Amino acid sequence: MLDKTFRPAEVEARHYALWEASGAFDCHPDSNAEPFCIMMPPPNVTGSLHMGHALNHTLQDVLARFERMRGRDVLWQPGTDHAGIATQMVVERSLAAEGGSRTALGRAGFVERVWAWKAESGSTITRQLRRLGASADWRRERFTMDEGLSAAVRKVFVRLHKDGVIYRDKRLVNWDPKLQTAISDLEVEQREIKGHLWHIAYPVEGLEGASIPVATTRPETMLGDTAVAVHPDDERYRALIGRHAILPLVGRRIPIVADPYADPETGSGAVKITPAHDFNDFEVARRHSLPLINIFDPHARLTDAVPQPYRGLDRFEARQRVVADLEAAGALLKVEDQTHSVPFGDRSGVPLEPWLTDQWYADAKRLAAPAIAAVEDGRTRFVPKQWESTYFEWMRNIQPWCISRQLWWGHQIPAWYGPDGAVFVEESEAEASAAAARHYGRTVALTRDPDVLDTWFSSALWPFSTLGWPDRTKELARYYPTDVLVTGFDIIFFWVARMMMMGMHFMGKAPFHTVYIHALVRDEFGQKMSKSKGNIIDPLVLIEKYGADALRLTLVAMAAQGRDIKLAEARVEGYRNFATKLWNAARFCQMNGCTPDHPFDPAEAGLTINRWLVAGVRRLAEDATDALVTFRFNEAAGALYHFVWHSFCDWYLEMAKPVLSGDDKAAAEETRGAAAWALGQILHLLHPVMPFVTEELFGALGYAGGPLITAPWPRLQHLPVDDAAVDEIDWIIRFVSTIRSARSELNVPPSAELDLIVENAGAATQRRAARHGPALSLLARLKTMEVTADKLPTMPKGAVQVVVDEATLVIPLAEIIDLDAERRRLAREIEKLESEIGKIDRKLGNSDFLAKAPAEVVEDQRERRAEAERAQAKLRQAAARLKA
RNA sequence: AGGCGCGUAGCUCAGGGGUAGAGCGCUACCUUGACACGGUAGAGGUCGGCGGUUCGAAACCGCCCGCGCCUACCA
């Protein structure tokens, strides 16, 4: 016998281990089944499970389990990402804690240390994904720095270099002075900062006492100025164009140039040009052949290129010093408060410096073109569709991708330099040496480029590198292109776009047919979860408290397309209650012999309730299937929740009770089989969302063909939908609800059993009442029920009258009834119907409505009016009889 | 500045040209042999505002207001 409540912890561990050991998660490359492949977005190896992971992997697991049950050969390819910067920072921090440092260890020692860290701590996240129930094929788990994947990276780099897509260039990059590395545009986080706008007077050479005012938010950069620009049409400064200004504090002669970049409306209209430390200024300098003066070292401290007093100062100290000196020199015109955005490193959290360095770039524009086309013509579609415009917007304006990083942890760039700086890009040192020997005509010593690649470079290859590329493996042929990618919108640019580009370039096909973009999980007030706000909800805590199924159902039920999820713990609790409800429904079935050993043919059900049940289950299966196929996860969850609770438990099992304990043995037997069948179908349909509780119940009730994880998905389209049975049960629900409502409003004690008279009963009502007497009595708490086609000649004293269809239900309540309450109730009902009739009359009185609305809509309104009027007449009559 | 999304019950949200929905919360009653993590019945809404299209708009279109996010720029 099942316990009174479901206890998830023990069940989850047991079933997960069984599933994994039984090979249920395994793909079958040799099978004849149609493949279905999902590439898991590899979580950072440093990661631990957060709500975003929980949502992302729940949705993937729902799809994987659904398609597996539908008979597809599912490969859900798992793995982790080496996460260059993040991992290097983690290991550096732990080194620092023990008094060591990266530089003290040296490169080889440090990398070894990171691998040791990975061996010890790198499986945290995958262990946690298992807790969630993720049914990935863990045998195939990959890591972006595995040898195979690393070989793929080298091959891609070399090929793209030979194709001219990858090249080396000296230009401004976003430099992170804390991490000491370049980063890509995407890793820049703009933050609004309250700062100042300093207006500085630059004296003009040859014009005694004249100066040109410039305005800046970064006064320290003036030390690197090499020009002042004004707009060519700006009357105020036209006379100064071609002259020179004398840079205060430095004394350098710098030209005053005309350039449309200078906006007369902004600042003073004259803009200082610091080409080595500003992206716009760099372009201006290029147009005017201005010199570049690099005033920062890699730590963003001032170099020897600035006057003596400032050398070696940190950029923030330098600012104070420069402002003070300008003021002392009388060159500071004014200072205004100004809010402006400042670029910060998303990992380091410090302001970035545009800095001139040699880096490796990928010509993303070239790679983007086929990737754009693939989405334009629908080879890859985004769900929801509006994300396609986000993708297009970025891809069509894509900038060169800086792919080198000055780190130690990552894929070292396969480029070697000869003694004269000639570069040899090859997949191995031996090949590079050979190429160099050919180039120089002799063997030379080569130096390898110390940089590593952007982490996203290797994840861009994930859809094919994990399948064995560049080898032509069976898996690659079978599972690429993959079916659906499930991910968050925050990495469309970082990852999705780059996989599209690399997939098109190297495989000739887009890596997925569908990209399903889900929302962000926020706290219950809509705030982004963050450590600093302290509003993080830990999925593992929720799993422990409510079970993985409850968390999964919550996330799935709230995963409406295109909307963020505001998660409150109360929601998880509510869905945990659903798991308990399901559990108890199964317990009821078990206690009443509604078990699968009782045969039932759903196509041949005899009893009305069972025919109704079959129709309901069939529709549920269709709805759930449709919803999952179209990624409407929330609708699938909603349909399942509603059917199980409000159809199966609230009505079916209640109506089944008198049958199960009744005298009709055949009816009881059929109902036992029907309940068991329906519960079995429900367990199948719920399994992708709630794998643990369904698997447990499936086993505990003795269903055959387990485990459920590999059981076939219900296909019930062939089953009958008996409209007459549906109408009949709807009538029962109306009948019972009407009586309950009256009882409640008149404060009839729930325990009181009533003697009911149904008068004016038509043929259908008489037949239905006769067939469902026991159920009606139980559900409406009746002692006796008398049904007559006639109208009662006299009303029993103190009788309540309610209307169901054509019949009037007369409930004698002489001892119990509160006559005033009953009068008020009737008046209220009549009033309600009156307003409804009024509404319909306004429509029917509109000749345009009659002329132009579809006939069935008009007819429907007429019927509704007639019905309302009939009910109202009966209630009026009842009110009259009550008085008498 | 541009783009995208959102505004529906106290809260969190579905829905979507013809009866206004769910969960939670709230109120009353009920420990009835599956379930109090439960049952029954209820209260609660001019669907952000203004126009337009339509026989009919909460839904479609336009504008406005408010909120959120993304991208770009900011001397």
Side-chain angles (χ1 to χ4, degrees):
Chain A
M1 180 66 64
L2 294 170
D3 290 344
K4 210 164 169 182
T5 54
F6 172 52
R7 279 187 253 284
E10 178 270 338
V11 168
E12 289 172 7
R14 180 157 45 85
H15 284 302
Y16 197 90
L18 286 173
W19 289 328
E20 193 170 0
S22 71
F25 304 161
D26 299 355
C27 67
H28 299 97
D30 295 317
S31 83
N32 294 323
E34 191 189 348
F36 178 84
C37 182
I38 299 183
M39 285 287 157
M40 178 185 290
N44 284 356
V45 68
T46 51
S48 61
L49 193 75
H50 57 60
M51 251 335 143
H53 291 126
L55 170 65
N56 180 247
H57 291 88
T58 294
L59 298 180
Q60 291 176 76
D61 194 48
V62 168
L63 292 176
R65 288 176 185 269
F66 170 59
E67 295 295 353
R68 193 181 287 124
M69 291 176 82
R70 294 218 297 167
R72 306 276 290 270
D73 164 33
V74 171
L75 167 56
W76 184 13
Q77 172 62 52
T80 50
D81 190 283
H82 69 278
I85 293 177
T87 310
Q88 179 158 329
M89 282 174 74
V90 164
V91 176
E92 280 194 80
R93 261 202 301 275
S94 77
L95 274 175
E98 54 195 63
S101 78
R102 169 165 69 104
T103 41
L105 275 180
R107 181 164 189 153
F110 178 75
V111 169
E112 197 178 316
R113 172 72 187 237
V114 180
W115 278 108
W117 175 90
K118 191 240 172 197
E120 190 170 325
S121 310
S123 59
T124 301
I125 184 76
T126 54
R127 219 175 36 244
Q128 293 171 333
L129 289 174
R130 286 174 164 91
R131 292 282 308 277
L132 192 66
S135 65
D137 188 348
W138 297 108
R139 301 170 310 161
R140 296 185 47 85
E141 182 178 343
R142 297 288 187 271
F143 179 53
T144 46
M145 287 200 17
D146 283 349
E147 181 42 41
L149 275 67
S150 299
V153 165
R154 289 193 296 272
K155 184 169 253 346
V156 163
F157 188 93
V158 170
R159 287 254 296 265
L160 289 177
H161 182 257
K162 290 210 180 357
D163 294 345
V165 173
I166 284 180
Y167 56 93
R168 200 159 165 76
D169 197 6
K170 188 186 202 76
R171 42 185 289 171
L172 289 186
V173 291
N174 294 296
W175 181 262
D176 189 316
K178 182 179 175 193
L179 298 171
Q180 307 266 303
T181 180
I183 61 176
S184 77
D185 299 347
L186 285 178
E187 293 159 274
V188 178
E189 183 185 305
Q190 298 291 340
R191 293 192 198 165
E192 289 288 315
I193 297 293
K194 281 196 187 105
H196 303 284
L197 192 60
W198 284 273
H199 294 254
I200 308 166
Y202 285 14
V204 179
E205 186 188 51
L207 288 179
E208 200 56 39
S211 66
I212 185 163
V214 299
T216 180
T217 54
R218 298 202 55 195
E220 70 280 11
T221 62
M222 68 159 302
L223 301 172
D225 283 3
T226 59
V228 173
V230 298
H231 194 278
D233 301 335
D234 192 334
E235 294 298 338
R236 293 170 294 178
Y237 304 118
R238 184 169 284 175
L240 302 180
I241 294 168
R243 289 183 172 271
H244 285 75
I246 304 298
L247 193 58
L249 310 184
V250 180
R252 185 160 57 239
R253 259 180 107 240
I254 57 174
I256 298 169
V257 300
D259 194 288
Y261 166 66
D263 177 4
E265 306 293 315
T266 309
S268 63
V271 57
K272 59 191 272 311
I273 301 299
T274 319
H277 302 294
D278 181 283
F279 290 98
N280 288 307
D281 293 4
F282 184 82
E283 294 304 320
V284 173
R286 184 172 281 182
R287 286 197 284 274
H288 297 274
S289 307
L290 300 169
L292 274 61
I293 301 178
N294 184 1
I295 62 166
F296 289 126
D297 73 2
H299 297 91
R301 288 185 302 235
L302 293 174
T303 63
D304 290 352
V306 303
Q308 176 61 42
Y310 307 105
R311 290 178 191 167
L313 290 181
D314 171 83
R315 51 185 164 162
F316 303 111
E317 297 165 355
R319 175 174 304 176
Q320 293 184 343
R321 184 72 185 266
V322 164
V323 169
D325 291 351
L326 284 170
E327 186 158 28
L332 192 60
L333 299 172
K334 62 174 170 176
V335 184
E336 298 172 300
D337 287 339
Q338 165 130 334
T339 302
H340 58 116
S341 72
V342 176
F344 278 72
D346 65 353
R347 286 284 165 191
S348 66
V350 301
L352 301 173
E353 287 300 335
W355 204 50
L356 194 64
T357 56
D358 288 303
Q359 302 287 343
W360 291 93
Y361 290 89
D363 179 358
K365 204 148 198 92
R366 247 174 82 185
L367 293 172
I372 291 169
V375 176
E376 280 172 340
D377 64 25
R379 276 171 286 165
T380 296
R381 62 176 186 134
F382 281 70
V383 178
K385 200 166 183 59
Q386 67 253 25
W387 290 111
E388 285 178 8
S389 42
T390 303
Y391 171 85
F392 287 140
E393 178 65 20
W394 189 70
M395 290 289 262
R396 286 173 183 152
N397 298 300
I398 199 161
Q399 298 300 307
W401 175 15
C402 176
I403 52 173
S404 46
R405 297 288 182 275
Q406 288 65 54
L407 303 173
W408 285 352
W409 175 244
H411 298 100
Q412 193 170 352
I413 289 174
W416 285 263
Y417 301 99
D420 59 354
V423 62
F424 303 95
V425 174
E426 299 291 345
E427 290 179 43
S428 67
E429 182 155 19
E431 288 167 90
S433 297
R438 285 194 298 277
H439 175 79
Y440 293 107
R442 64 189 168 87
T443 308
V444 296
L446 296 179
T447 317
R448 184 167 186 179
D449 193 308
D451 290 353
V452 301
L453 286 164
D454 181 3
T455 290
W456 297 101
F457 191 90
S458 54
S459 18
L461 317 182
W462 187 254
F464 50 91
S465 64
T466 53
L467 295 173
W469 189 92
D471 292 341
R472 292 224 278 264
T473 60
K474 191 163 55 183
E475 288 81 359
L476 188 62
R478 181 169 172 77
Y479 299 112
Y480 191 98
T482 69
D483 289 85
V484 50
L485 178 78
V486 178
T487 193
F489 62 82
D490 48 330
I491 56 173
I492 290 178
F493 303 147
F494 276 113
W495 193 46
V496 180
R498 275 123 179 214
M499 283 190 290
M500 289 294 293
M501 292 192 279
M502 293 296 197
M504 291 306 299
H505 194 85
F506 286 95
M507 298 296 295
K509 283 180 181 170
F512 4 78
H513 300 304
T514 300
V515 179
Y516 177 81
I517 301 291
H518 64 243
L520 221 60
V521 186
R522 300 170 175 278
D523 75 5
E524 60 185 304
F525 307 108
Q527 298 283 313
K528 213 165 168 170
M529 293 189 196
S530 74
K531 273 182 204 158
S532 54
K533 283 189 209 135
N535 61 346
I536 291 194
I537 305 175
D538 183 348
L540 293 167
V541 169
L542 294 179
I543 287 174
E544 254 154 53
K545 211 161 157 189
Y546 303 107
D549 289 323
L551 175 62
R552 291 169 59 114
L553 178 57
T554 306
L555 293 170
V556 171
M558 297 180 81
Q561 286 184 7
R563 191 158 193 151
D564 283 346
I565 293 178
K566 291 182 199 165
L567 187 71
E569 189 170 327
R571 298 298 295 259
V572 186
E573 191 180 343
Y575 286 114
R576 184 276 318 269
N577 295 349
F578 174 76
T580 306
K581 186 75 181 177
L582 174 70
W583 182 266
N584 276 290
R587 188 162 176 264
F588 172 87
C589 287
Q590 191 185 45
M591 291 170 75
N592 287 279
C594 304
T595 44
D597 48 318
H598 296 272
F600 176 70
D601 179 353
E604 298 291 337
L607 267 62
T608 309
I609 55 166
N610 293 334
R611 296 173 74 81
W612 173 78
L613 179 68
V614 168
V617 171
R618 182 197 136 143
R619 175 181 294 160
L620 175 67
E622 283 169 359
D623 290 350
T625 306
D626 284 354
L628 289 178
V629 164
T630 52
F631 307 102
R632 283 151 29 234
F633 294 97
N634 59 316
E635 290 183 27
L640 288 159
Y641 182 101
H642 193 266
F643 182 84
V644 169
W645 202 311
H646 299 302
S647 291
F648 187 66
C649 292
D650 286 353
W651 290 105
Y652 180 77
L653 292 182
E654 294 303 325
M655 292 187 293
K657 280 175 182 173
V659 182
L660 292 170
S661 60
D663 297 332
D664 186 338
K665 296 293 177 231
E669 183 60 15
E670 178 184 294
T671 300
R672 272 192 282 274
W677 172 82
L679 179 63
Q681 299 304 311
I682 287 167
L683 294 177
H684 282 79
L685 295 170
L686 272 172
H687 181 262
V689 182
M690 308 183 78
F692 295 108
V693 68
T694 52
E695 186 74 81
E696 174 66 12
L697 291 173
F698 193 81
L701 271 80
Y703 286 94
L708 184 55
I709 186 174
T710 48
W713 185 253
R715 288 176 212 271
L716 307 178
Q717 300 89 318
H718 63 284
L719 291 180
V721 173
D722 182 344
D723 291 330
V726 171
D727 287 349
E728 190 156 322
I729 301 300
D730 283 351
W731 175 84
I732 294 180
I733 292 172
R734 269 201 311 282
F735 185 101
V736 170
S737 299
T738 305
I739 296 174
R740 282 174 173 173
S741 191
R743 292 179 63 123
S744 177
E745 283 183 59
L746 295 166
N747 297 319
V748 176
S751 54
E753 296 193 324
L754 308 177
D755 295 304
L756 182 71
I757 303 161
V758 181
E759 62 165 0
N760 200 30
T765 298
Q766 292 181 44
R767 189 179 61 245
R768 290 166 172 175
R771 281 169 43 165
H772 301 288
L776 295 174
S777 298
L778 183 74
L779 297 180
R781 286 223 142 225
L782 307 177
K783 187 158 67 197
T784 63
M785 177 165 66
E786 186 189 326
V787 181
T788 168
D790 304 331
K791 211 171 122 195
L792 294 184
T794 58
M795 189 55 37
K797 195 160 168 57
V800 172
Q801 298 154 72
V802 292
V803 176
V804 176
D805 298 354
E806 84 293 350
T808 303
L809 280 44
V810 179
I811 314 168
L813 286 170
E815 302 86 41
I816 318 170
I817 192 172
D818 173 344
L819 278 176
D820 284 339
E822 172 63 355
R823 259 192 281 280
R824 282 196 301 272
R825 186 187 70 83
L826 287 170
R828 217 166 34 237
E829 293 294 318
I830 291 165
E831 183 62 31
K832 232 189 258 176
L833 289 165
E834 188 62 40
S835 109
E836 195 185 336
I837 290 168
K839 252 194 240 172
I840 298 172
D841 278 348
R842 274 195 294 282
K843 278 187 190 174
L844 291 173
N846 181 342
S847 56
D848 281 337
F849 173 73
L850 297 176
K852 295 183 180 168
E856 65 266 25
V857 171
V858 176
E859 186 49 33
D860 187 49
Q861 293 295 319
R862 287 214 167 96
E863 272 171 27
R864 281 180 48 203
R865 188 188 191 288
E867 190 144 330
E869 197 156 55
R870 199 173 56 198
Q872 198 188 30
K874 287 184 181 303
L875 290 170
R876 286 217 163 99
Q877 205 175 54
R881 289 202 284 198
L882 192 67
K883 259 178 207 149

